[in-house]
Amino acid sequence: MKDDELLARVAEAVKQEEESVDPRLDAFAAGEIDEKAAREALSGAADADAVLAAYRPLDQKTRHTIVERVLADRPAARPRRVLALRLLLLGAPTAVAVAAIVFVALLPPGGLPDYSDELMAGDATVRGTATTASTRLHVDSRLEWVLRPASVSPGHIEVQTFLLKDGVATAWPVTAEISEQGSVRMVGTARSLGVPAGELDLVAIVSRRGAAPEDWRTMVEAARESGGVSGAGFRLFVRRVTVHE
Amino acid sequence: MELSPQDVDAALAGRRDATRRLVDGLTPVVQARVARILLRRRRAGRDIRQDVQDLVQDVFVALFADAGRVLRAWDQRRGMSLRNFVGLVAERLALSRLRTHKRNPWTEEPVDGLDVRQSAGDPPEVEVASRELVRTLADRLREELTPLAMHLFRLLFIEERSVADVCATMHMGPDAVYAWRSRIGKRLRRIAHDIGSEQTTWEQTPKRGRR
């Protein structure tokens, strides 16, 4: 058999295999048609269940697993070890009632340096000594939260902020100042910053452009317990506060 | 969802949102190609859903491995969409896994033969043997050719497009296309020879089964 004849037969075999699959199954995998329509495409085939199982679109959880595995396999995307270290809360009785300083020593992923956060609440009545403790402050007390890089961080930095109350997350539209060195600062009173009364978590994610995780809520507990978590190009900080009127 | 070279660059740079976008955008084609390969070669008793999921994941890992070497090979100027490119990578990996049994104990036992036209006068068993050999050849070729070479194979031999047309599509000169054509032919011949060594009947069977 000559090369051309062999090539033609192999090409025909590939073509027939491709044509043996109803294009509606591809549409099913892409989520463009529903399972009922896909089943119709199989017109009662004996192995319809297996075919549908193979083509049924992979769910978000599976895709998330893929993303995490890809990022984890990349040297720049490996989760960094949180090494240390928290210095917490010295309560100065007046001006700075509570100061929480948390250093999170991190290897720099994605070009983002180590960051530490410092929460200052101008209400001296209650102070916390651990990251998981709630810091109490009056609604008109000064509230200042600063996230500082361990070294100058050239390049674009962005910050996302959220409020997490009773398990419900809402965007926290606070104005965050970002310095040229990469520091992030939010300052005002609880009221002016739009922090409502009650106990809730303040969440801030510092990241390179687009590197903030969408699934940050799964990291909140770890952030509370360890003073912050890091990922590929982002740092996540969580502080619990109780605002009273 | 349109995916651009910029999306690929951003994902390769380790950006989470870009990686997610790429995975979301490419998962359907990867899944469909993997499903097609597995379904046609499946055996009873396997959880096909699980096998598809595992292979889809492996395809993405392969795309990004070694600083994204495979993904970086995609060149939009060659007239191949990213989805098509990644689909070819998925087929290649799936076929490789099936053959080597590294991760998957599926066999190459055909469930349903390809519908190759049967020539009058050929004993049925000869034709079946020929179909199976052709299919084995096709699998092995798809497994060995790079996505670029496989795309050329498609244009030249499956779609039977003219060299001039292929030149225009792939932004290649005629000499390069002819060189690829020759290279693919030689590769196929070598695969046939290898399979012949493995199965010993190759040298005779195609002749007996010739239409």
Side-chain angles (χ1 to χ4, degrees):
Chain A
M1 188 180 289
K2 296 191 181 304
D3 282 357
D4 281 353
E5 188 181 351
L6 196 55
L7 283 162
R9 290 196 67 184
V10 167
E12 182 67 15
V14 174
K15 186 177 181 181
Q16 288 189 6
E17 177 176 325
E18 292 173 355
E19 290 178 350
S20 70
V21 178
D22 191 304
R24 283 175 289 182
L25 289 174
D26 289 352
F28 178 45
E32 294 165 0
I33 65 171
D34 62 17
E35 187 154 337
K36 186 181 173 191
R39 192 174 284 278
E40 285 172 5
L42 296 168
S43 57
D47 61 348
D49 288 341
V51 174
L52 291 173
Y55 280 89
R56 188 174 298 122
L58 299 185
D59 59 20
Q60 280 301 321
K61 185 180 173 188
T62 304
R63 295 182 189 201
H64 174 80
T65 301
I66 292 170
V67 170
E68 292 305 316
R69 185 170 165 196
V70 164
L71 288 172
D73 283 353
R74 293 177 53 76
R78 255 173 224 137
R80 269 45 188 186
R81 242 176 52 180
V82 177
L83 296 175
L85 170 56
R86 295 177 260 170
L87 293 180
L88 286 184
L89 295 188
L90 262 233
T94 52
V96 178
V98 179
I101 305 168
V102 176
F103 293 101
V104 184
L106 303 153
L107 298 172
L112 196 64
D114 304 348
Y115 263 77
S116 62
D117 83 323
E118 180 176 347
L119 178 71
M120 291 166 282
D123 189 322
T125 55
V126 179
R127 65 178 63 97
T129 56
T131 312
T132 52
S134 183
T135 302
R136 290 181 63 86
L137 72 157
H138 188 269
V139 69
D140 289 319
S141 294
R142 179 182 171 83
L143 177 64
E144 183 175 359
W145 198 13
V146 181
L147 317 174
R148 291 194 184 91
S151 58
V152 175
S153 176
H156 182 83
I157 291 289
E158 59 189 19
V159 60
Q160 292 183 19
T161 51
F162 302 92
L163 299 175
L164 187 57
K165 186 174 185 181
D166 299 328
V168 177
T170 55
W172 181 21
V174 63
T175 301
E177 305 163 26
I178 302 177
S179 75
E180 289 184 0
Q181 288 74 36
S183 290
V184 179
R185 177 173 176 254
M186 293 152 275
V187 61
T189 63
R191 190 190 302 274
S192 70
L193 293 176
V195 180
E199 185 178 71
L200 71 162
D201 287 321
L202 311 178
V203 180
I205 306 168
V206 185
S207 68
R208 291 297 186 198
R209 192 192 305 274
E214 291 176 10
D215 53 347
W216 58 267
R217 290 189 58 180
T218 62
M219 306 173 194
V220 165
E221 282 303 319
R224 267 199 219 104
E225 291 171 3
S226 59
V229 296
S230 66
F234 75 88
R235 305 284 183 273
L236 169 70
F237 293 94
V238 180
R239 290 294 172 197
R240 177 160 290 182
V241 297
T242 302
V243 177
H244 62 89
E245 310 228 37
Chain B
M1 184 193 299
E2 290 300 320
L3 294 169
S4 67
Q6 289 73 33
D7 290 319
V8 174
D9 289 343
L12 290 173
R15 277 178 45 181
R16 179 177 292 268
D17 64 330
T19 305
R20 185 180 301 277
R21 179 176 160 82
L22 212 63
V23 168
D24 283 344
L26 295 174
T27 291
V29 68
V30 173
Q31 180 181 357
R33 300 292 181 96
V34 163
R36 170 154 53 84
I37 297 289
L38 291 186
L39 281 165
R40 286 187 66 86
R41 296 156 182 82
R42 70 199 168 90
R43 251 185 133 184
R46 296 291 305 172
D47 179 351
I48 186 148
R49 179 78 180 167
Q50 189 60 52
D51 286 328
V52 168
Q53 285 185 6
D54 290 348
L55 258 175
V56 169
Q57 189 168 150
D58 289 350
V59 168
F60 279 105
V61 170
L63 286 169
F64 281 89
D66 194 14
R69 184 175 52 80
V70 174
L71 204 46
R72 287 180 200 281
W74 173 56
D75 185 351
Q76 194 178 30
R77 292 168 301 175
R78 297 297 185 200
M80 188 168 24
S81 71
L82 179 61
R83 283 187 177 82
N84 192 14
F85 174 86
V86 169
L88 292 173
V89 173
E91 288 180 8
R92 193 180 185 199
L93 183 74
L95 288 165
S96 175
R97 285 284 158 77
L98 286 168
R99 189 172 68 84
T100 60
H101 295 228
K102 275 181 185 169
R103 293 282 308 275
N104 195 318
W106 297 56
T107 74
E108 292 181 58
E109 260 178 70
V111 172
D112 45 353
L114 294 175
D115 186 20
V116 175
R117 284 165 292 172
Q118 193 165 340
S119 58
D122 278 340
E125 64 276 13
V126 171
E127 185 59 28
V128 168
S130 175
R131 283 204 309 261
E132 291 178 6
L133 282 168
V134 169
R135 187 158 97 163
T136 301
L137 268 175
D139 284 359
R140 198 74 70 86
L141 187 69
R142 284 190 287 176
E143 184 189 331
E144 291 196 13
L145 291 185
T146 63
L148 175 66
M150 191 61 209
H151 189 54
L152 277 156
F153 175 77
R154 165 172 300 288
L155 296 178
L156 288 167
F157 300 105
I158 298 178
E159 298 180 9
E160 299 180 282
R161 289 162 72 167
S162 68
V163 169
D165 195 10
V166 174
C167 288
T169 301
M170 303 283 289
H171 296 97
M172 286 180 171
D175 290 348
V177 173
Y178 281 118
W180 271 108
R181 184 188 173 100
S182 169
R183 208 174 299 161
I184 293 168
K186 283 180 184 170
R187 175 63 66 92
L188 184 58
R189 174 59 61 185
R190 205 237 332 126
I191 293 169
H193 180 268
D194 290 348
I195 292 175
S197 301
E198 293 166 12
Q199 301 188 354
T200 67
T201 55
W202 166 249
E203 293 298 336
Q204 290 81 35
T205 305
K207 291 174 186 170
R208 288 161 55 204
R210 188 180 296 171
R211 285 174 281 157

